[in-house]
């Protein structure tokens, strides 16, 4: 369940679920995903996009993102999250 090269043997994989939800639908999907992952043995951190920190992402073995769509694009909070964390993805810190 843990990606190659991450997570120590015997340790539950750490999953960060980052979401932006204006109407609550994406929040409910994120909560369901977190519940399923937790029941499968993962240590899950559920974060709203505006509250997610680079440290929380780096500490995770996997990051799942979800956003509602407004006017054909992700919500503003998710766009801000992606812009803020782009350097981590580009540097290979997150993969």
């Amino acid at each position: 369940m843990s990606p190659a090269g991450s997570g120590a043997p015997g340790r539950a994989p750490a999953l960060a679920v980052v979401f932006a939800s204006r109407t609550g639908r994406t929040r409910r999907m994120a909560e369901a995903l977190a519940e399923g992952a937790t029941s499968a043995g993962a240590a899950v951190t559920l974060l709203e996009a505006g509250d997610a920190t680079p440290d929380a992402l780096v500490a995770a073995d996997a990051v799942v993102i979800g956003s509602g769509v407004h006017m054909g694009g992700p919500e503003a909070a998710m766009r801000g999250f992606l812009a803020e964390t782009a350097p981590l993805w580009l540097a290979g810190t997150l993969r």
Side-chain angles (χ1 to χ4, degrees), residues 64-82:
V64 178
I65 61 173
S67 176
V69 176
H70 180 67
M71 301 292 290
E75 293 190 22
M78 184 57 70
R79 285 194 311 271
F81 163 79
L82 294 171

Side-chain angles (χ1 to χ4, degrees), residues 3-93:
S6 67
R11 180 181 67 80
L15 179 65
V17 179
V18 182
F19 68 93
S21 182
R22 217 164 98 197
T23 64
R25 291 182 187 102
T26 305
R27 172 188 285 279
R28 288 192 297 274
M29 286 190 284
E31 289 169 346
L33 186 145
E35 183 180 326
T38 299
S39 69
V44 179
T45 303
L46 194 60
L47 302 160
E48 291 193 37
D51 298 331
T53 64
D55 289 340
L57 303 180
V58 172
D61 295 314
V63 178
V64 178
I65 61 173
S67 176
V69 176
H70 180 67
M71 301 292 290
E75 293 190 22
M78 184 57 70
R79 285 194 311 271
F81 163 79
L82 294 171
E84 180 183 340
T85 59
L88 296 173
W89 299 100
L90 294 172
T93 305

